[in-house]
Amino acid sequence: MQALNSPSLSGLLEWRGSDVLGRLSAGVTGFQDAGWTVQVGGDLSAWLAPFEGTPLHFELAGAGNASRHSSGFDTYLARGDVRAHWIAGTVGGWVGLGATRSESAADSGGTSGVVTGVGAWARHRAARATVGYQAPSVFGQRFHELSSSLSVSSERVDLTAFAGWRAASGNAGIDEEAWAGATAAVWILPTAALVVSGGRYGPDVLQGLPGGSFVGIGFRLTSRRIRPLPDPSTRAPLFFSSERAAAGSIGFRVQGARSVEVAGDWNDWTPEPLRRDDDGRWILPAGLEPGIYRFNLRVDGMRWIVPDGVPATDDGFGGEVGILIVRDEP
């Protein structure tokens, strides 16, 4: 295809529950001398931890999207997945099985496929790396796909790089494909960023869509990305004396939790279990020195939360970390 200029406007709504993550997105894109298209998509993931106290978790996920071009050309895709995750602190892995179904105006009969895959991830402070392997089976042909990504965040910049490779089994007359790209989001304001991206994306074998190269520049608005640190001169709810910290009497209530771990600046973000006192609070380890700390709680070995009433700031991965202030009493 020839190069196309395409302005677009899109939105994303995300909802995080105790064991559920849902997203809904929509966008409209105009193409130079080639009409316009509207896209709508959504996905929902539910997490289960049937074996209390173990790093084994299960995920049930579903996703779907649809698009319509101004010419009347429509596409649809639905997918369901079951995955088993092994989560051990700052590293983890998964294995999964999925089923997919796609239809388009060019193929009213539709296409069904099965996708198997494995993957692993690692996190260190503001950096996260992932690698995965998938084997989609569509059109009576099995493909092999490798993918990887690396993201690094700072207070003002989010950088993400990705790369992938795909080939078909046997002599199917299908060439190997490779792709790579990067995106940088520069936060001009706490809720506004300039986004620059470029690279090459691979073909979508599930919908029969080709790959291509791209360069993009855009502007992102969000309800929250960076929250300022609380003013140390105010007596905020998370303002604790050094005496309480030394005695190990700082605690939080977590409704319905069977087990709680804490990871923060003081323990190099390595989760450690907390004990629950007679009042039902989960108690932080004793001995914290005066200072300002970032931290999160992990509930039942699975979901990460900021306790109720705790000031929070962005964690660099689209989530939040809590702020804990320990100071000497005047």
Side-chain angles (χ1 to χ4, degrees), residues 9-97:
L9 179 66
S10 59
L12 172 67
L13 177 66
E14 184 175 272
W15 176 75
R16 296 170 183 245
S18 59
D19 300 314
V20 178
L21 171 64
R23 287 182 291 240
L24 180 64
S25 62
V28 58
T29 302
F31 298 100
Q32 177 185 3
D33 301 324
W36 51 265
T37 183
V38 174
Q39 309 94 26
V40 179
D43 59 83
L44 185 67
S45 295
W47 289 76
L48 307 172
F51 307 110
E52 183 178 352
T54 73
L56 183 62
H57 308 282
F58 294 93
E59 178 190 8
L60 302 177
N65 61 64
S67 69
R68 160 157 285 197
H69 189 265
S70 54
S71 64
F73 184 86
D74 300 327
T75 65
Y76 306 93
L77 175 69
R79 176 169 172 168
D81 289 273
V82 178
R83 304 185 187 98
H85 294 260
W86 186 269
I87 303 173
T90 59
V91 297
W94 59 270
V95 58
L97 175 66

Coordinates of all heavy atoms in Angstrom, one line a residue, residues 9-97:
L9 N -8.6 10.1 16.7 CA -9.1 10.5 18.1 C -9.5 9.3 18.8 O -10.4 8.5 18.3 CB -10.2 11.6 18.0 CG -10.7 12.0 19.4 CD1 -9.6 12.8 20.2 CD2 -12.0 12.9 19.2
S10 N -9.0 9.0 20.0 CA -9.4 7.7 20.6 C -9.4 7.9 22.1 O -8.9 8.9 22.7 CB -8.3 6.6 20.4 OG -7.0 7.0 20.8
G11 N -10.1 7.0 22.8 CA -10.3 7.1 24.3 C -10.2 5.7 24.9 O -10.4 4.7 24.2
L12 N -9.8 5.7 26.2 CA -9.6 4.4 26.9 C -10.2 4.6 28.3 O -9.9 5.6 29.0 CB -8.2 4.0 27.0 CG -7.9 2.9 27.9 CD1 -8.4 1.6 27.3 CD2 -6.3 2.7 28.1
L13 N -11.1 3.7 28.7 CA -11.7 3.7 30.0 C -11.2 2.4 30.7 O -11.4 1.3 30.1 CB -13.2 3.8 30.0 CG -13.9 3.7 31.3 CD1 -13.6 4.9 32.2 CD2 -15.4 3.6 31.1
E14 N -10.6 2.5 31.9 CA -10.1 1.3 32.6 C -10.8 1.2 34.0 O -10.9 2.2 34.6 CB -8.6 1.3 32.7 CG -8.0 0.1 33.3 CD -6.5 0.1 33.3 OE1 -5.9 -0.3 32.3 OE2 -5.9 0.6 34.2
W15 N -11.1 0.0 34.4 CA -11.7 -0.2 35.7 C -11.0 -1.4 36.3 O -10.8 -2.4 35.8 CB -13.2 -0.6 35.6 CG -13.8 -0.9 36.9 CD1 -14.2 -0.1 37.9 CD2 -14.1 -2.2 37.4 NE1 -14.7 -0.7 39.0 CE2 -14.7 -2.1 38.7 CE3 -14.0 -3.5 36.8 CZ2 -15.1 -3.1 39.4 CZ3 -14.4 -4.6 37.6 CH2 -15.0 -4.4 38.9
R16 N -10.5 -1.1 37.6 CA -9.8 -2.1 38.4 C -10.6 -2.5 39.6 O -10.8 -1.6 40.5 CB -8.4 -1.6 38.8 CG -7.5 -1.3 37.6 CD -6.2 -0.6 38.1 NE -5.4 -0.2 37.0 CZ -4.2 -0.7 36.8 NH1 -3.7 -1.5 37.6 NH2 -3.4 -0.3 35.8
G17 N -11.0 -3.7 39.7 CA -11.7 -4.2 40.9 C -10.7 -5.0 41.7 O -9.5 -5.1 41.5
S18 N -11.3 -5.7 42.7 CA -10.4 -6.5 43.6 C -9.7 -7.6 42.9 O -8.5 -7.8 43.1 CB -11.2 -7.0 44.8 OG -12.3 -7.8 44.3
D19 N -10.4 -8.3 42.0 CA -9.8 -9.4 41.3 C -10.2 -9.3 39.8 O -10.1 -10.3 39.1 CB -10.3 -10.8 41.8 CG -9.9 -10.9 43.3 OD1 -8.7 -10.7 43.6 OD2 -10.7 -11.4 44.1
V20 N -10.6 -8.2 39.3 CA -11.1 -8.0 37.9 C -10.5 -6.8 37.3 O -10.3 -5.7 38.0 CB -12.6 -7.9 37.9 CG1 -13.1 -7.7 36.5 CG2 -13.3 -9.2 38.5
L21 N -10.1 -6.9 36.1 CA -9.6 -5.7 35.3 C -10.4 -5.6 34.0 O -10.4 -6.6 33.3 CB -8.1 -5.9 35.0 CG -7.5 -4.8 34.0 CD1 -7.6 -3.4 34.6 CD2 -6.0 -5.2 33.7
G22 N -11.0 -4.5 33.7 CA -11.7 -4.3 32.5 C -11.3 -3.1 31.8 O -10.9 -2.0 32.4
R23 N -11.3 -3.1 30.4 CA -11.0 -1.9 29.6 C -11.9 -1.8 28.5 O -12.4 -2.8 27.9 CB -9.5 -2.1 29.1 CG -8.4 -1.9 30.1 CD -7.1 -2.0 29.5 NE -6.8 -3.4 29.1 CZ -5.8 -4.1 29.6 NH1 -5.0 -3.5 30.5 NH2 -5.6 -5.3 29.2
L24 N -12.2 -0.6 28.1 CA -13.1 -0.3 27.0 C -12.5 0.8 26.2 O -12.1 1.9 26.7 CB -14.5 0.1 27.4 CG -15.5 0.4 26.3 CD1 -15.8 -0.8 25.5 CD2 -16.8 1.0 26.9
S25 N -12.3 0.6 24.9 CA -11.6 1.6 24.0 C -12.5 1.9 22.8 O -13.2 1.0 22.3 CB -10.2 1.2 23.7 OG -10.2 0.0 22.9
A26 N -12.3 3.1 22.2 CA -13.0 3.4 21.0 C -12.2 4.5 20.3 O -11.5 5.3 20.9 CB -14.4 3.9 21.3
G27 N -12.3 4.5 19.0 CA -11.5 5.5 18.2 C -12.1 5.7 16.8 O -12.8 4.9 16.3
V28 N -11.8 6.9 16.3 CA -12.2 7.2 14.9 C -10.9 7.7 14.2 O -10.2 8.5 14.7 CB -13.3 8.2 14.8 CG1 -13.0 9.5 15.5 CG2 -13.7 8.5 13.4
T29 N -10.7 7.2 13.0 CA -9.5 7.5 12.2 C -9.9 7.9 10.8 O -10.7 7.2 10.2 CB -8.5 6.3 12.1 OG1 -8.2 5.9 13.5 CG2 -7.3 6.7 11.4
G30 N -9.3 9.0 10.3 CA -9.5 9.4 8.9 C -8.3 9.1 8.1 O -7.2 9.3 8.6
F31 N -8.5 8.7 6.9 CA -7.4 8.3 6.0 C -7.3 9.3 4.8 O -8.4 9.7 4.3 CB -7.5 6.9 5.5 CG -7.5 5.9 6.6 CD1 -8.6 5.3 7.0 CD2 -6.3 5.5 7.1 CE1 -8.6 4.4 8.0 CE2 -6.2 4.5 8.1 CZ -7.4 4.0 8.6
Q32 N -6.1 9.7 4.4 CA -5.9 10.5 3.3 C -6.5 9.9 2.0 O -6.1 8.9 1.5 CB -4.4 10.8 3.1 CG -4.1 11.7 1.9 CD -2.6 11.8 1.7 OE1 -1.8 11.2 2.4 NE2 -2.2 12.6 0.7
D33 N -7.6 10.6 1.5 CA -8.3 10.1 0.3 C -8.7 8.7 0.3 O -8.8 8.0 -0.7 CB -7.3 10.3 -1.0 CG -6.8 11.7 -1.2 OD1 -7.6 12.6 -0.9 OD2 -5.7 11.9 -1.5
A34 N -9.0 8.2 1.5 CA -9.4 6.8 1.7 C -10.5 6.6 2.7 O -10.6 5.6 3.4 CB -8.2 5.9 2.0
G35 N -11.3 7.6 3.0 CA -12.4 7.5 3.9 C -12.0 7.5 5.4 O -11.0 8.0 5.7
W36 N -12.8 6.9 6.2 CA -12.6 6.9 7.6 C -13.0 5.5 8.2 O -13.7 4.7 7.6 CB -13.3 8.0 8.3 CG -14.8 8.1 8.0 CD1 -15.4 8.8 7.0 CD2 -15.8 7.3 8.6 NE1 -16.7 8.6 6.9 CE2 -17.0 7.7 7.9 CE3 -15.9 6.3 9.6 CZ2 -18.3 7.1 8.2 CZ3 -17.1 5.8 9.9 CH2 -18.3 6.2 9.2
T37 N -12.6 5.2 9.4 CA -13.0 4.0 10.1 C -13.2 4.3 11.6 O -12.6 5.2 12.2 CB -11.9 2.9 10.0 OG1 -12.3 1.7 10.6 CG2 -10.6 3.4 10.6
V38 N -14.1 3.5 12.2 CA -14.4 3.5 13.6 C -14.1 2.2 14.2 O -14.4 1.1 13.6 CB -15.9 3.9 13.8 CG1 -16.2 3.8 15.3 CG2 -16.2 5.2 13.3
Q39 N -13.4 2.2 15.3 CA -13.0 1.0 16.0 C -13.5 1.0 17.5 O -13.5 2.0 18.1 CB -11.5 0.8 16.1 CG -10.8 0.9 14.7 CD -10.3 2.3 14.5 OE1 -10.0 3.1 15.4 NE2 -10.2 2.7 13.2
V40 N -14.0 -0.2 17.9 CA -14.5 -0.3 19.3 C -13.9 -1.6 19.8 O -13.9 -2.6 19.1 CB -16.0 -0.3 19.4 CG1 -16.4 -0.5 20.9 CG2 -16.6 1.0 18.9
G41 N -13.4 -1.6 21.0 CA -12.8 -2.9 21.6 C -12.9 -2.9 23.1 O -13.1 -1.8 23.8
G42 N -12.8 -4.1 23.7 CA -12.9 -4.2 25.1 C -12.3 -5.5 25.5 O -12.2 -6.5 24.8
D43 N -11.9 -5.6 26.8 CA -11.4 -6.9 27.3 C -11.7 -6.9 28.8 O -11.8 -5.9 29.5 CB -9.9 -7.1 27.1 CG -9.0 -6.0 27.6 OD1 -8.7 -6.1 28.8 OD2 -8.7 -5.1 26.9
L44 N -11.8 -8.1 29.4 CA -12.1 -8.3 30.8 C -11.3 -9.5 31.3 O -11.3 -10.6 30.6 CB -13.6 -8.6 30.9 CG -14.1 -8.7 32.4 CD1 -14.0 -7.4 33.1 CD2 -15.6 -9.2 32.4
S45 N -10.6 -9.3 32.4 CA -9.8 -10.4 33.0 C -10.2 -10.6 34.5 O -10.4 -9.7 35.2 CB -8.3 -10.1 33.0 OG -7.8 -10.0 31.7
A46 N -10.4 -11.9 34.8 CA -10.8 -12.2 36.2 C -9.7 -13.1 36.8 O -9.2 -14.1 36.1 CB -12.1 -12.9 36.3
W47 N -9.2 -12.9 38.0 CA -8.1 -13.6 38.6 C -8.6 -14.5 39.7 O -9.5 -14.1 40.5 CB -7.1 -12.6 39.1 CG -6.3 -12.0 38.0 CD1 -6.7 -10.9 37.2 CD2 -5.0 -12.3 37.6 NE1 -5.8 -10.6 36.3 CE2 -4.7 -11.4 36.5 CE3 -4.0 -13.2 37.9 CZ2 -3.5 -11.4 35.8 CZ3 -2.8 -13.2 37.3 CH2 -2.6 -12.4 36.2
L48 N -8.1 -15.7 39.8 CA -8.5 -16.6 40.8 C -7.2 -17.1 41.5 O -6.2 -17.4 40.9 CB -9.2 -17.8 40.2 CG -10.4 -17.5 39.3 CD1 -10.9 -18.8 38.6 CD2 -11.5 -16.9 40.1
A49 N -7.3 -17.3 42.8 CA -6.1 -17.8 43.6 C -6.7 -19.0 44.5 O -6.9 -18.8 45.7 CB -5.5 -16.7 44.4
P50 N -6.9 -20.1 43.9 CA -7.5 -21.2 44.6 C -6.6 -21.9 45.7 O -7.0 -22.5 46.6 CB -7.9 -22.3 43.6 CG -6.9 -22.0 42.5 CD -6.6 -20.5 42.5
F51 N -5.2 -21.7 45.5 CA -4.3 -22.3 46.4 C -3.6 -21.2 47.2 O -2.6 -20.6 46.9 CB -3.2 -23.1 45.6 CG -3.8 -24.1 44.7 CD1 -3.8 -23.9 43.3 CD2 -4.5 -25.2 45.1 CE1 -4.3 -24.8 42.4 CE2 -5.1 -26.1 44.2 CZ -5.0 -25.9 42.9
E52 N -4.2 -21.0 48.4 CA -3.8 -19.9 49.2 C -2.3 -20.1 49.7 O -1.9 -21.3 50.0 CB -4.7 -19.8 50.5 CG -4.3 -18.7 51.4 CD -5.3 -18.6 52.6 OE1 -6.3 -19.3 52.6 OE2 -5.0 -17.8 53.5
G53 N -1.6 -19.1 49.7 CA -0.2 -19.1 50.1 C 0.8 -19.6 49.1 O 2.0 -19.8 49.4
T54 N 0.3 -19.9 47.9 CA 1.2 -20.3 46.8 C 1.3 -19.2 45.7 O 0.4 -18.4 45.6 CB 0.8 -21.6 46.1 OG1 -0.4 -21.4 45.3 CG2 0.4 -22.6 47.2
P55 N 2.4 -19.2 44.9 CA 2.5 -18.2 43.8 C 1.7 -18.6 42.6 O 1.8 -17.9 41.6 CB 4.0 -18.2 43.5 CG 4.5 -19.6 43.9 CD 3.6 -20.0 45.1
L56 N 0.9 -19.6 42.6 CA 0.1 -20.1 41.5 C -1.2 -19.3 41.4 O -2.0 -19.4 42.4 CB -0.1 -21.6 41.5 CG -0.8 -22.2 40.3 CD1 0.0 -22.0 39.0 CD2 -1.1 -23.7 40.5
H57 N -1.5 -18.7 40.3 CA -2.8 -18.0 40.1 C -3.4 -18.4 38.7 O -2.6 -18.7 37.8 CB -2.6 -16.5 40.2 CG -1.9 -16.1 41.4 ND1 -2.6 -16.0 42.6 CD2 -0.6 -15.8 41.7 CE1 -1.7 -15.6 43.6 NE2 -0.5 -15.5 43.0
F58 N -4.6 -18.2 38.5 CA -5.3 -18.4 37.2 C -6.0 -17.2 36.8 O -6.5 -16.4 37.6 CB -6.3 -19.6 37.4 CG -5.6 -20.9 37.7 CD1 -5.4 -21.4 39.0 CD2 -5.1 -21.7 36.6 CE1 -4.8 -22.6 39.3 CE2 -4.5 -22.9 36.9 CZ -4.3 -23.3 38.2
E59 N -6.0 -17.1 35.4 CA -6.7 -15.9 34.8 C -7.7 -16.4 33.7 O -7.3 -17.2 32.9 CB -5.7 -15.0 34.2 CG -6.3 -13.8 33.5 CD -5.2 -13.0 32.7 OE1 -4.1 -13.5 32.5 OE2 -5.6 -12.0 32.1
L60 N -8.9 -15.9 33.8 CA -9.9 -16.1 32.8 C -10.1 -14.7 32.0 O -10.4 -13.7 32.7 CB -11.2 -16.5 33.3 CG -11.2 -17.8 34.2 CD1 -12.6 -18.1 34.7 CD2 -10.7 -19.0 33.3
A61 N -9.9 -14.7 30.7 CA -9.9 -13.5 30.0 C -10.7 -13.6 28.7 O -10.7 -14.6 28.1 CB -8.5 -13.0 29.6
G62 N -11.4 -12.5 28.4 CA -12.1 -12.4 27.1 C -11.9 -11.0 26.5 O -11.7 -10.0 27.2
A63 N -11.9 -11.0 25.2 CA -11.7 -9.8 24.5 C -12.4 -9.8 23.2 O -12.7 -10.8 22.6 CB -10.2 -9.5 24.2
G64 N -12.8 -8.6 22.7 CA -13.5 -8.5 21.4 C -13.3 -7.1 20.8 O -13.0 -6.1 21.6
N65 N -13.3 -7.0 19.5 CA -13.3 -5.7 18.9 C -14.0 -5.8 17.6 O -14.2 -6.8 17.0 CB -11.8 -5.2 18.7 CG -11.0 -6.2 17.8 OD1 -11.3 -6.3 16.6 ND2 -9.9 -6.8 18.4
A66 N -14.4 -4.6 17.1 CA -15.1 -4.5 15.8 C -14.7 -3.2 15.2 O -14.3 -2.2 15.9 CB -16.6 -4.5 16.0
S67 N -14.7 -3.1 13.9 CA -14.4 -1.9 13.1 C -15.3 -1.8 11.9 O -15.8 -2.8 11.4 CB -12.9 -1.9 12.7 OG -12.7 -2.9 11.7
R68 N -15.5 -0.5 11.5 CA -16.3 -0.3 10.3 C -15.7 0.8 9.5 O -15.4 1.9 10.0 CB -17.8 0.1 10.6 CG -18.5 0.8 9.5 CD -20.0 0.7 9.6 NE -20.4 -0.6 9.2 CZ -21.7 -0.8 8.8 NH1 -22.6 0.2 8.9 NH2 -22.1 -2.0 8.4
H69 N -15.4 0.6 8.2 CA -14.9 1.6 7.3 C -16.1 2.3 6.6 O -17.2 1.7 6.5 CB -14.0 0.9 6.3 CG -13.2 1.9 5.4 ND1 -13.6 2.3 4.2 CD2 -12.0 2.5 5.7 CE1 -12.8 3.2 3.7 NE2 -11.8 3.3 4.6
S70 N -15.8 3.5 6.2 CA -16.9 4.3 5.6 C -17.4 3.7 4.3 O -18.5 4.0 3.9 CB -16.3 5.7 5.3 OG -15.1 5.7 4.5
S71 N -16.6 2.7 3.7 CA -17.1 2.0 2.5 C -18.1 0.9 2.9 O -18.7 0.3 2.0 CB -15.9 1.4 1.8 OG -15.3 0.4 2.6
G72 N -18.3 0.6 4.2 CA -19.2 -0.4 4.6 C -18.5 -1.7 4.9 O -19.1 -2.7 5.3
F73 N -17.1 -1.7 4.9 CA -16.3 -2.9 5.2 C -16.3 -3.1 6.7 O -15.8 -2.2 7.4 CB -15.0 -2.8 4.6 CG -14.1 -4.0 4.8 CD1 -14.2 -5.1 3.9 CD2 -13.2 -4.1 5.8 CE1 -13.4 -6.2 4.1 CE2 -12.4 -5.2 6.0 CZ -12.5 -6.3 5.1
D74 N -16.7 -4.2 7.2 CA -16.7 -4.5 8.7 C -15.8 -5.6 9.0 O -15.6 -6.5 8.2 CB -18.1 -4.9 9.2 CG -19.1 -3.8 8.9 OD1 -18.8 -2.6 9.0 OD2 -20.3 -4.1 8.7
T75 N -15.2 -5.6 10.2 CA -14.4 -6.7 10.8 C -14.8 -6.9 12.2 O -15.2 -6.0 12.9 CB -12.9 -6.4 10.7 OG1 -12.6 -5.3 11.6 CG2 -12.5 -6.1 9.3
Y76 N -14.7 -8.2 12.7 CA -15.1 -8.5 14.0 C -14.1 -9.6 14.5 O -13.6 -10.4 13.8 CB -16.5 -9.1 14.1 CG -17.6 -8.3 13.5 CD1 -18.0 -8.5 12.2 CD2 -18.2 -7.3 14.3 CE1 -18.9 -7.7 11.6 CE2 -19.2 -6.5 13.7 CZ -19.6 -6.7 12.4 OH -20.5 -5.9 11.8
L77 N -13.8 -9.5 15.8 CA -12.9 -10.5 16.4 C -13.3 -10.7 17.9 O -13.5 -9.8 18.6 CB -11.4 -10.0 16.4 CG -10.4 -10.9 17.1 CD1 -10.2 -12.2 16.3 CD2 -9.0 -10.2 17.2
A78 N -13.4 -12.0 18.3 CA -13.6 -12.3 19.7 C -12.6 -13.4 20.1 O -12.2 -14.2 19.3 CB -15.0 -12.9 19.8
R79 N -12.2 -13.3 21.3 CA -11.2 -14.2 21.8 C -11.4 -14.5 23.3 O -11.7 -13.6 24.1 CB -9.8 -13.6 21.6 CG -8.6 -14.5 22.2 CD -7.3 -14.0 21.7 NE -6.2 -14.7 22.4 CZ -4.9 -14.7 22.0 NH1 -4.6 -13.9 21.0 NH2 -4.0 -15.3 22.7
G80 N -11.1 -15.7 23.7 CA -11.2 -16.1 25.1 C -9.9 -16.9 25.5 O -9.4 -17.7 24.6
D81 N -9.4 -16.7 26.7 CA -8.1 -17.3 27.1 C -8.2 -17.8 28.5 O -9.0 -17.2 29.4 CB -7.0 -16.3 27.0 CG -6.6 -15.9 25.6 OD1 -5.8 -16.6 25.1 OD2 -7.1 -14.9 25.1
V82 N -7.5 -18.9 28.8 CA -7.3 -19.4 30.2 C -5.8 -19.4 30.4 O -5.1 -20.0 29.5 CB -7.9 -20.8 30.4 CG1 -7.6 -21.3 31.8 CG2 -9.4 -20.7 30.1
R83 N -5.3 -18.8 31.4 CA -3.9 -18.8 31.7 C -3.6 -19.2 33.1 O -4.3 -18.8 34.0 CB -3.3 -17.4 31.4 CG -3.6 -16.9 30.0 CD -2.8 -15.5 29.8 NE -3.2 -15.0 28.5 CZ -4.2 -14.0 28.4 NH1 -4.8 -13.6 29.4 NH2 -4.4 -13.6 27.2
A84 N -2.4 -19.8 33.3 CA -1.9 -20.1 34.7 C -0.7 -19.3 34.8 O 0.2 -19.3 34.0 CB -1.6 -21.6 34.8
H85 N -0.6 -18.5 35.9 CA 0.5 -17.6 36.2 C 1.3 -18.1 37.4 O 0.7 -18.5 38.4 CB 0.0 -16.2 36.5 CG -0.7 -15.5 35.3 ND1 0.0 -14.6 34.5 CD2 -1.9 -15.7 34.8 CE1 -0.8 -14.2 33.6 NE2 -2.0 -14.8 33.7
W86 N 2.6 -17.9 37.4 CA 3.4 -18.2 38.5 C 4.1 -16.9 38.8 O 4.9 -16.3 38.1 CB 4.5 -19.2 38.2 CG 5.3 -19.7 39.3 CD1 6.5 -19.1 39.7 CD2 5.1 -20.7 40.3 NE1 7.0 -19.7 40.9 CE2 6.1 -20.7 41.2 CE3 4.0 -21.6 40.4 CZ2 6.1 -21.6 42.3 CZ3 4.1 -22.5 41.4 CH2 5.1 -22.5 42.3
I87 N 3.7 -16.3 40.0 CA 4.2 -14.9 40.3 C 5.0 -15.0 41.6 O 4.5 -15.5 42.7 CB 3.0 -14.0 40.6 CG1 2.1 -13.9 39.3 CG2 3.5 -12.6 40.9 CD1 0.8 -13.2 39.5
A88 N 6.3 -14.7 41.5 CA 7.2 -14.8 42.6 C 7.9 -13.5 42.8 O 9.0 -13.3 42.3 CB 8.2 -15.9 42.4
G89 N 7.3 -12.5 43.5 CA 8.0 -11.2 43.7 C 8.1 -10.4 42.5 O 7.1 -10.0 41.8
T90 N 9.3 -10.2 42.0 CA 9.6 -9.3 40.9 C 9.8 -10.1 39.6 O 10.1 -9.5 38.6 CB 10.8 -8.4 41.1 OG1 12.0 -9.3 41.4 CG2 10.6 -7.5 42.3
V91 N 9.5 -11.4 39.6 CA 9.5 -12.2 38.3 C 8.3 -13.0 38.3 O 7.7 -13.3 39.3 CB 10.8 -13.0 38.3 CG1 12.1 -12.2 38.2 CG2 10.9 -14.0 39.4
G92 N 8.0 -13.5 37.1 CA 6.8 -14.4 36.9 C 6.8 -15.0 35.5 O 7.6 -14.6 34.6
G93 N 5.9 -15.9 35.3 CA 5.7 -16.5 34.1 C 4.3 -17.0 33.9 O 3.5 -17.1 34.9
W94 N 3.9 -17.4 32.7 CA 2.5 -17.9 32.5 C 2.5 -18.9 31.3 O 3.4 -18.9 30.5 CB 1.6 -16.7 32.1 CG 2.0 -15.9 30.9 CD1 2.9 -14.8 30.9 CD2 1.7 -16.1 29.6 NE1 3.0 -14.4 29.6 CE2 2.3 -15.1 28.8 CE3 0.9 -17.1 28.9 CZ2 2.2 -15.1 27.4 CZ3 0.8 -17.0 27.5 CH2 1.4 -16.0 26.8
V95 N 1.5 -19.7 31.3 CA 1.2 -20.6 30.2 C -0.3 -20.5 29.9 O -1.1 -20.4 30.8 CB 1.7 -22.0 30.5 CG1 1.0 -22.6 31.7 CG2 1.4 -22.9 29.3
G96 N -0.7 -20.5 28.6 CA -2.1 -20.3 28.4 C -2.6 -21.0 27.1 O -1.8 -21.4 26.2
L97 N -3.9 -21.0 27.0 CA -4.6 -21.6 25.8 C -5.8 -20.7 25.5 O -6.6 -20.3 26.4 CB -5.1 -23.0 26.1 CG -6.0 -23.7 25.1 CD1 -5.1 -23.9 23.8 CD2 -6.5 -25.0 25.6

